[in-house]
Amino acid sequence: MKLTDEQTAALDAFHADEHLVLQAGAGTGKTETLSQLARSTRRRGRCLAYNRAIARDATARFPGNVQCKTTHALAYAALGHRYHSRLNAPRRPAWQTGQALGITKALRIDERDVSQRALSNTVLRTVTRFCHTADEKITHHHVPKLRGLDDTDLHRELATHIVPFARKAWDDLQHTDDGCVRFDHDHYLKMWALTQPVLPADFLLLDEAQDTNPVVEQIFLNQRNHAQLVMVGDSAQAIYHWRGAKDVMTGFDGTRLTLSQSFRFGPHLAEEANHWLTLADAPLRLRGTDTLHTELGSLTQPDAVLCRTNVGAMAQVMGLMAAGCRVALVGGGDSLSALAQAARDLKEGRRTHHPELLLFPSWGELQDYAAHDPAGRDLQPLVGLVDTHGTDAILGAVAQLVDEQHAQTTVSTAHKAKGREWSRVKIADDFAPPGHSDPPESAPAPAAQPIGDSEARLAYVAVTRTRRRLDIGGLAWARGQR
């Protein structure tokens, strides 16, 4: 492979033993660049991969002096294997776990009854959120906010009740043989991080650094005194802040270099990507490969349809199936199935323990909240989908999903599409303009609102998944903001 000037600069900085931050735009060959760094030295290295698929790919492409593992794999080898029997324990309802921890009755906060099931679910989510942080103990800020209890004082009241049970759950997880809390992989990763592990290596590579959980950041940065640190990623693709991830590249003390030559698409698509990079206030700009002819235009049979939300993805799945298309859904249909089952419970007069809907006593109250409360606007597509098709139709569609290798079209959210690419991509219509609503016909058209950084980054991820043709579809409204 002939290196670009940017890749050569990265190689030179690596040989100078500098701590390095490598901003690598979409399709710029970051994995190949990292493998070139690894091949250029005989020093011992480790690559902390974002997930198992990336670790497998890196292992095949990196030389033998570099070990490619996820942080979970390292944690399992060091400590997690002691909990093997608990990892294989059968699933149990959250309310049973909560009962074993001492949660035996509902809690009244303001005018809301928080059921035993909801409290139990919140305790387990609190522990999970704690495991993603670099904190040493569980405190109030690890308790997730619940719909309807978003007010600061109400959340503080909830957290005061939840934290003691969450700490009791964490204590339960320390037992290697048995316990009432179901043990999962994030638990042993956190336990390992708390031991301040030292990784035996001369240099460390951190992949996808823009979406790093603080617990992984802590492990990585703690190696600085004995190892050269190289982090690579794309700050413009930092799209997981909502689940606790952070862009650790921006504050890292090291030499800063970029990879801006994309080998995935041509100049026209690079121009589209740069529009979104501008809206995201990102310093990076991409250059397309002149020999690649990536077109922008309509598509009737895309290889992939990318959506803003899970509900939008479900609507696309049902529409494609109605047209006789074999459809795959990236990540599978479990999350959609859980939402549909929660909606069915509410419609049939039962409370649900789904974390998004657990405070609603009935489907009618959820409909009212989605229609009239600004905080419930994101639930409008779910309500509309259920009211239009019914929960049985949604669950039936999930059951008809096929594997990607057998699909005519793959549907994905933009979040789950990160790191993927297809030949022909269409953007779904649930990427609504900021502040979008359906005003009465007599009302004047609302003034255009600026696009937030997070939405611009998500759109940048979506439009850069294609190699040959992009149907801008649901993002066409943004062309007026160029």
Side-chain angles (χ1 to χ4, degrees):
M1 173 182 173
K2 178 176 172 54
L3 298 181
T4 66
D5 291 343
E6 292 173 328
Q7 290 170 324
T8 300
L11 195 64
D12 291 342
F14 180 69
H15 286 162
D17 204 27
E18 300 172 12
H19 296 303
L20 181 60
V21 179
L22 193 56
Q23 287 279 0
T28 55
K30 66 179 177 66
T31 303
E32 181 58 31
T33 302
L34 290 180
S35 68
Q36 289 288 344
L37 301 185
R39 292 190 194 105
S40 70
T41 182
R42 293 185 177 181
R43 294 181 297 157
R44 294 178 308 159
R46 287 179 181 253
C47 177
L48 302 184
Y50 187 69
N51 56 39
R52 283 184 293 177
I54 292 174
R56 285 194 300 268
D57 179 61
T59 298
R61 299 171 68 172
F62 280 38
N65 61 311
V66 177
Q67 182 187 63
C68 303
K69 298 283 187 180
T70 65
T71 47
H72 281 90
L74 295 175
Y76 184 83
L79 184 150
H81 64 278
R82 303 174 194 169
Y83 297 85
H84 177 74
S85 60
R86 290 194 66 173
L87 280 168
N88 294 325
R91 293 184 180 274
R92 64 188 304 185
W95 69 267
Q96 289 185 0
T97 301
Q99 194 170 57
L101 291 171
I103 302 174
T104 57
K105 60 183 180 180
L107 176 68
R108 182 78 172 178
I109 297 180
D110 196 30
E111 297 179 356
R112 294 265 186 189
D113 285 320
V114 187
S115 69
Q116 178 199 355
R117 290 173 181 263
L119 293 171
S120 302
N121 185 288
T122 304
V123 165
L124 298 181
R125 290 172 64 200
T126 298
V127 173
T128 297
R129 285 163 60 95
F130 164 68
C131 288
H132 293 164
T133 71
D135 301 329
E136 294 185 358
K137 64 179 183 179
I138 296 173
T139 61
H140 284 52
H141 78 270
H142 299 118
V143 178
K145 290 190 174 182
L146 302 183
R147 287 186 185 274
L149 297 177
D150 304 277
D151 177 80
T152 300
D153 290 338
L154 298 181
H155 178 260
R156 186 181 296 113
E157 185 177 347
L158 172 69
T160 299
H161 186 80
I162 292 294
V163 166
F165 290 110
R167 290 176 177 172
K168 188 174 181 180
W170 182 245
D171 290 340
D172 175 271
L173 289 166
Q174 309 308 307
H175 303 297
T176 56
D177 296 326
D178 193 20
C180 65
V181 181
R182 190 169 191 269
F183 198 94
D184 69 29
H185 299 279
D186 284 344
H187 296 145
Y188 65 72
L189 174 62
K190 179 61 177 178
M191 293 174 185
W192 182 57
L194 288 171
T195 69
Q196 303 288 316
V198 175
L199 303 181
D202 300 313
F203 65 91
L204 270 78
L205 310 174
L206 178 63
D207 186 32
E208 297 287 347
Q210 80 283 348
D211 278 322
T212 302
N213 282 337
V215 66
V216 175
E217 177 193 20
Q218 178 190 47
I219 294 168
F220 182 76
L221 294 182
N222 282 350
Q223 317 306 313
R224 188 181 185 110
N225 290 335
H226 73 274
Q228 180 186 13
L229 304 185
V230 178
M231 53 175 62
V232 60
D234 183 355
S235 291
Q237 294 190 52
I239 59 175
Y240 282 108
H241 290 172
W242 54 275
R243 69 178 191 190
K246 60 182 288 191
D247 178 11
V248 302
M249 304 173 72
T250 55
F252 182 70
D253 182 18
T255 300
R256 298 182 175 276
L257 297 172
T258 59
L259 298 179
S260 61
Q261 173 65 62
S262 181
F263 303 102
R264 180 180 297 159
F265 43 72
H268 288 117
L269 201 285
E271 182 180 349
E272 179 68 29
N274 288 335
H275 164 61
W276 292 103
L277 288 169
T278 300
L279 293 175
D281 199 25
L284 180 67
R285 296 294 181 271
L286 292 176
R287 292 176 288 117
T289 298
D290 291 336
T291 56
L292 296 178
H293 302 290
T294 310
E295 302 173 336
L296 276 72
S298 61
L299 281 168
T300 55
Q301 293 183 316
D303 298 310
V305 178
L306 304 186
C307 307
R308 174 67 180 82
T309 64
N310 281 322
V311 175
M314 189 69 252
Q316 289 292 327
V317 165
M318 297 184 72
L320 288 165
M321 285 182 175
C325 185
R326 295 190 306 277
V327 185
L329 183 66
V330 173
D334 288 350
S335 60
L336 296 172
S337 180
L339 271 173
Q341 289 171 347
R344 183 167 62 184
D345 285 343
L346 291 177
K347 287 176 73 69
E348 294 178 354
R350 297 188 298 271
R351 298 291 289 255
T352 175
H353 60 272
H354 192 287
E356 281 294 293
L357 309 179
L358 53 79
L359 288 184
F360 296 100
S362 68
W363 182 250
E365 187 163 327
L366 174 59
Q367 287 174 312
D368 184 69
Y369 176 79
H372 303 296
D373 193 318
R377 183 178 296 142
D378 61 317
L379 290 175
Q380 289 176 359
L382 170 66
V383 172
L385 191 69
V386 171
D387 286 344
T388 300
H389 299 282
T391 56
D392 289 344
I394 295 172
L395 292 169
V398 170
Q400 294 179 51
L401 292 168
V402 300
D403 294 334
E404 286 191 55
Q405 59 185 358
H406 299 119
Q408 294 168 288
T409 300
T410 295
V411 175
S412 177
T413 62
H415 286 92
K416 292 177 181 175
K418 196 177 75 162
R420 302 286 303 274
E421 60 180 60
W422 292 271
S423 182
R424 299 170 300 168
V425 173
K426 182 175 182 177
I427 307 298
D429 57 8
D430 63 338
F431 283 85
H436 174 74
S437 61
D438 295 318
E441 292 184 6
S442 59
Q449 297 184 22
I451 300 169
D453 288 355
S454 60
E455 290 300 312
R457 289 195 298 269
L458 189 63
Y460 163 67
V461 170
V463 303
T464 55
R465 298 308 95 197
T466 190
R467 296 190 302 268
R468 295 291 176 262
R469 190 175 182 90
L470 173 70
D471 185 339
I472 197 67
L475 287 171
W477 54 265
R479 288 185 167 163
Q481 302 194 28
R482 292 182 185 275

